[in-house]
Amino acid sequence: MTQPDIASIASCAMELANTARALARTHFRQVTAYDRKADDSPVTVADRAIEAALRAILLERFPEHAILGEEEGLSGDSRNLWALDPIDGTKSFMTGFPLFGALIAFTRDRLPTLGVIEIPATGERWSAYSGQTFFAQDGQEHRVSVSACQSLEDARVYTTSPDCFSATDLERYNSLSRQAAVRRYGGDCYIYGLLASGFCDLVVEASLQPYDYLALVPVVQNAGGIITDWQGQPLGLHSTGHVVAAATPALHVRALDALNA
């Protein structure tokens, strides 16, 4: 079977991002009710509606591809797999905080080859494919790149929340982040876009699922950054969910050393 080219994949990914944006804006600051999933994480009607709409598009465009979504799990078996997080940052979404996102990844042979970070409330979007990362807003698009930060002592460090760490992992994160110039909390997938654009230098997180991080890999790497697990291994479908994203190789090494000291 002929494999779709990256232009076709990118075109579909933009359609998915546009759909996620429109639906999220319809529900944002309108939805207050939520349910609890088996892992006690919240889910709203918007999460489910967006994923259903994205799956419908993919089933029409690429019916032979597999899909991994946060709400509906894995369907299909193919070397081509899409990973979808309809609302990355449901807690942000349901409390009216605008920096939630939709994450769209395309993987071939389990390697992330395209990633999109869509921020519906602000109209911002990072997209990465063919070796480049682009930022788009208000009809304007430009290529972005990471900062040149080499030193942990000069780094601006982000994580979404201390609640995402186990007690042991939080100790390791605090040991690292207290050496940094600035440490900030909040932002979910938005902070990886900030890193790709050079506005922060280091992101350290844990407890992520494949649909949380697969889209981030091309966004960070194509902008010149490094993204791995806490042992320095590439991220894949079976990673532990521990993520380190750094602007430069030197900073990445310093971060790994601090986390594993």
Side-chain angles (χ1 to χ4, degrees):
M1 180 179 296
T2 303
Q3 297 298 322
D5 60 26
I6 193 62
S8 299
I9 295 298
S11 174
C12 182
M14 295 308 109
E15 182 181 355
L16 296 175
N18 290 338
T19 300
R21 177 182 295 186
L23 284 171
R25 286 180 169 180
T26 298
H27 291 284
F28 183 50
R29 295 182 179 166
Q30 305 297 317
V31 173
T32 55
Y34 64 93
D35 297 323
R36 290 283 183 183
K37 295 190 283 190
D39 63 359
D40 207 35
S41 63
V43 60
T44 71
V45 63
D47 296 82
R48 296 184 174 119
I50 293 170
E51 182 167 326
L54 302 189
R55 283 178 174 270
I57 292 169
L58 288 172
L59 287 172
E60 180 179 353
R61 294 280 297 271
F62 300 111
E64 72 280 9
H65 289 187
I67 304 171
L68 172 66
E70 179 173 10
E71 308 310 330
E72 298 184 35
L74 177 64
S75 60
D77 181 14
S78 170
R79 61 179 296 206
N80 298 307
L81 179 142
W82 295 81
L84 307 173
D85 190 347
I87 296 182
D88 182 73
T90 297
K91 293 176 183 177
S92 294
F93 174 83
M94 58 188 268
T95 56
F97 190 70
L99 301 187
F100 65 92
L103 292 173
I104 299 158
F106 174 76
T107 74
R108 180 166 288 160
D109 297 326
R110 301 304 187 254
L111 297 176
T113 58
L114 174 146
V116 178
I117 302 173
E118 162 64 34
I119 310 297
T122 66
E124 296 172 276
R125 181 181 300 170
W126 286 268
S127 57
Y129 53 93
S130 298
Q132 299 182 81
T133 298
F134 297 92
F135 173 76
Q137 187 178 33
D138 299 328
Q140 303 294 316
E141 183 178 74
H142 61 270
R143 188 178 178 183
V144 296
S145 59
V146 296
S147 76
C149 182
Q150 306 278 323
S151 167
L152 185 55
E153 290 74 20
D154 294 328
R156 299 158 293 178
V157 181
Y158 258 106
T159 196
T160 293
S161 170
D163 294 340
C164 296
F165 296 106
S166 69
T168 299
D169 287 345
L170 182 59
E171 288 182 10
R172 297 166 72 185
Y173 173 75
N174 283 333
S175 176
L176 176 154
S177 62
R178 286 172 179 153
Q179 300 178 57
V182 175
R183 69 174 186 167
R184 299 290 297 165
Y185 292 101
D188 302 291
C189 60
Y190 192 76
I191 56 183
Y192 294 87
L194 294 179
L195 189 146
S197 292
F199 294 114
C200 76
D201 311 300
L202 184 65
V203 178
V204 180
E205 297 199 284
S207 304
L208 301 186
Q209 297 297 322
Y211 44 74
D212 293 317
Y213 59 73
L214 288 174
L216 309 175
V217 174
V219 171
V220 172
Q221 290 181 341
N222 290 8
I226 313 294
I227 182 167
T228 69
D229 68 12
W230 286 19
Q231 303 303 316
Q233 297 302 307
L235 297 174
L237 279 172
H238 303 295
S239 296
T240 63
H242 292 72
V243 173
V244 180
T248 63
L251 180 58
H252 183 253
V253 169
R254 286 293 310 278
L256 293 180
D257 287 346
L259 286 170
N260 295 295

